[in-house]
Amino acid sequence: QVQLVESGGGLVQAGDSLRLSCAASGRTFSNDPVGWFRQAPGKGREFVAVITWSGNNPTYGNSVESRFTISSDNGKNMVYLQMTNLRPEDTAVYYCAAGHNGGVYHWRSELAYNSWGQGTQVTVSS
């Protein structure tokens, strides 16, 4: 099981960009998924994006597609979330999560992941 640490959150204005980073320690496998979820106050955890450690199959949630880009650097055990044109509704705690390929849950489900970071706060002001 890998350990994950997120960084890069902060307070920005609507329309700004921000890049989140997730550093993993422990062994990772190329075809395993690593993703981002977010949780706004009073709401459930929402799928944002997922990719494999090798950089394949990037997939996005409907609310962020075309604005966010997920990428991975397998050699450095790093995953990034580049966020552009941020909106107030993007305000949330963002979590990095890692899972294993071949599980029964779709990668859009938080149940597909067994390792989670502590989260980083992103606040977008209008």
Side-chain angles (χ1 to χ4, degrees), residues 10 39 82 89 123:
Q39 188 166 19
Q82 178 67 49
E89 53 265 38
T123 303

Side-chain angles (χ1 to χ4, degrees), residues 49-52 55-60 65 70-71:
V50 63
I51 198 168
T52 65
N56 293 326
N57 300 325
T59 304
Y60 299 92
E65 191 152 21
I70 189 171
S71 61

Side-chain angles (χ1 to χ4, degrees), residues 41-96:
K43 296 188 177 181
R45 199 167 289 185
E46 177 190 12
F47 168 74
V48 176
V50 63
I51 198 168
T52 65
W53 284 107
S54 60
N56 293 326
N57 300 325
T59 304
Y60 299 92
N62 292 338
S63 60
V64 306
E65 191 152 21
S66 81
R67 298 188 299 122
F68 291 11
T69 302
I70 189 171
S71 61
S72 62
D73 186 335
N74 203 13
K76 295 182 179 179
N77 272 6
M78 295 289 297
V79 177
Y80 307 97
L81 186 68
Q82 178 67 49
M83 305 183 293
T84 64
N85 192 20
L86 283 161
R87 305 166 180 169
E89 53 265 38
D90 294 319
T91 295
V93 177
Y94 284 71
Y95 296 92
C96 181

